[in-house]
Amino acid sequence: MTAPRVFLSYSHADAAMRDQIEKQLMALQRQGVISIWHDRRIEAGQDFEQQIDRHIEEDEIILLLVSSDFIHSKYCYEIEMRRAMQRHEAGEAIVIPVILRACDWQSQPFGKLQAVPEDGKPIKQWADIDEALLQVTIGVKKAAKRWQDPTEPASRPSAPAPSAPQEKVPPLAAGPRSSNLGLAKSFTQRDKDRFKDETFEFVAKFIENSLDELSARNPSYEGLFKRVDANRFFATIYRDGKDVARATYFTGGGHFGSGISYFQGEATGSNSMNESLTVEADDQAMFFRAMGVATFGADRERKLSQEGAAEYLWGLLIEPLQQRSEW
């Protein structure tokens, strides 16, 4: 049986994330589980709209790469998504929403479908982006298996009762352009410094809000956030008035000026740390990587997003208390 074809419907504003998803799915293509198609596969001399129309009409699995830009795009929303949902409801294809960035996707026509990653949590909000992308891959693999296995009752979407034929949305006009547009991205030191500074501010607010919520949920505990300056803040947790956790988060200075550092205890200097996150980049995005000091190297391979970095640094403060509560 021929491998089901997977069509990626996306806004060009999300081309970088489409590339990351395609990289993860490539393993399935090499194994013959699926074949992948999107508009960057259109060859020179081929009719752009005709090729998209053919794949949206014929491909067995359709991934909707959902973001506010996707929903805003007239072509993605009114043509590709609408026709994909018609085919899904007719049992002609399987539609999988892939939530890229936070948006009001639940109220959309595809909001009733099971989305990936787990619970429809946007890929951008995962601590480890690779883990989120892996969940997308697993979801596509399961869909391909359902499509190819005729013995499973739910192998394909069930067709609804016959109804009046639905009007096909006419294609929008589009000017001629090349399909050979994908380029590797490069990031300057200025880009990395800006990403680090923006993430440090995000981490500060994340830790402050987490301390407030910890206090609200646990009456015997009190969280205290203290901003020292633009590059440093303290986080303290008290239990019945006794300090049970103290930490310093800082950036810049000392030997660790290129990242965001964590020190167990309060420190005004920058020459010691228990963990540090540094900015790295691949050909598509910037991310943080932990030195792995606090976890004996276990987390060195994880690519941490901005929220992932904040969650990781909060965990260094709270996890020892959680372990004590299990004794």
Side-chain angles (χ1 to χ4, degrees):
M1 181 179 291
T2 304
R5 295 160 295 185
V6 178
F7 174 69
L8 275 60
S9 174
Y10 70 102
S11 163
H12 285 179
D14 296 315
M17 295 195 71
R18 181 217 63 203
D19 288 344
Q20 293 187 65
I21 290 170
E22 184 178 9
K23 284 181 181 179
Q24 285 281 349
L25 294 178
M26 194 55 64
L28 296 182
Q29 178 162 294
R30 292 196 179 104
Q31 295 165 15
V33 177
I34 60 171
S35 63
I36 307 168
W37 194 89
H38 51 75
D39 64 359
R40 298 301 168 88
R41 300 290 181 88
I42 298 175
E43 298 177 1
Q46 292 184 319
D47 185 282
F48 183 78
E49 290 185 6
Q50 185 181 71
Q51 289 298 312
I52 292 181
D53 186 64
R54 180 170 72 85
H55 282 274
I56 201 69
E57 290 289 340
E58 297 178 1
D59 289 2
E60 293 83 7
I61 299 174
I62 301 172
L63 302 188
L64 305 179
L65 308 191
V66 181
S67 68
S68 57
D69 286 295
F70 178 89
I71 295 172
H72 178 72
S73 169
K74 191 173 183 180
Y75 198 94
C76 291
Y77 191 89
E78 296 189 9
I79 295 181
E80 294 182 1
M81 183 277 289
R82 189 180 297 183
R83 183 57 187 143
M85 289 302 298
Q86 290 173 358
R87 292 191 62 221
H88 179 90
E89 291 166 1
E92 299 172 358
I94 296 175
V95 172
I96 303 175
V98 181
I99 314 304
L100 305 182
R101 296 183 280 126
C103 59
D104 183 23
W105 66 271
Q106 293 93 338
S107 66
Q108 306 304 320
F110 49 81
K112 61 185 178 181
L113 303 180
Q114 182 68 42
V116 290
E118 185 178 358
D119 299 325
K121 181 179 178 179
I123 290 176
K124 279 284 191 179
Q125 294 184 8
W126 281 72
D128 188 340
I129 293 178
D130 283 342
E131 181 180 351
L133 294 175
L134 176 60
Q135 289 201 15
V136 175
T137 303
I138 293 172
V140 172
K141 185 176 182 179
K142 290 180 178 178
K145 182 179 179 181
R146 292 200 311 271
W147 187 267
Q148 291 188 310
D149 189 351
T151 64
E152 294 189 20
S155 61
R156 302 184 185 184
S158 57
S163 59
Q166 294 172 298
E167 180 182 358
K168 184 178 177 180
V169 181
L172 296 178
R177 67 166 178 84
S178 171
S179 62
N180 185 20
L181 301 173
L183 297 173
K185 294 184 178 180
S186 61
F187 300 94
T188 66
Q189 189 58 51
R190 179 69 183 100
D191 294 330
K192 294 178 180 180
D193 288 345
R194 183 184 295 112
F195 182 56
K196 178 195 69 175
D197 292 341
E198 290 175 352
T199 300
F200 187 73
E201 291 305 315
F202 181 87
V203 169
K205 182 55 66 176
F206 187 96
I207 299 292
E208 182 178 15
N209 291 342
S210 299
L211 289 170
D212 289 344
E213 186 66 19
L214 179 72
S215 301
R217 294 191 182 195
N218 303 276
S220 62
Y221 285 83
E222 179 186 359
L224 179 64
F225 175 89
K226 181 180 179 182
R227 190 69 186 247
V228 179
D229 54 38
N231 299 316
R232 184 181 306 270
F233 63 88
F234 298 148
T236 307
I237 299 176
Y238 299 92
R239 181 178 182 181
D240 296 325
K242 179 182 178 181
D243 59 323
V244 290
R246 289 183 181 270
T248 302
Y249 299 87
F250 64 92
T251 183
H255 302 295
F256 315 107
S258 61
I260 299 174
S261 298
Y262 166 91
F263 177 77
Q264 187 174 342
E266 290 188 1
T268 56
S270 303
N271 293 319
S272 297
M273 59 84 191
N274 297 104
E275 182 60 281
S276 185
L277 307 182
T278 56
V279 179
E280 295 187 14
D282 54 23
D283 61 354
Q284 295 298 324
M286 291 180 289
F287 53 86
F288 283 90
R289 199 184 295 278
M291 290 182 65
V293 177
T295 57
F296 303 100
D299 292 309
R300 286 178 183 169
E301 299 307 313
R302 297 175 65 191
K303 295 180 180 180
L304 300 174
S305 63
Q306 189 174 80
E307 182 155 338
E311 194 70 66
Y312 182 82
L313 291 169
W314 166 254
L316 297 177
L317 177 68
I318 191 68
E319 283 176 9
L321 300 183
Q322 294 171 331
Q323 293 170 1
R324 290 176 198 172
S325 66
E326 296 173 357
W327 294 352

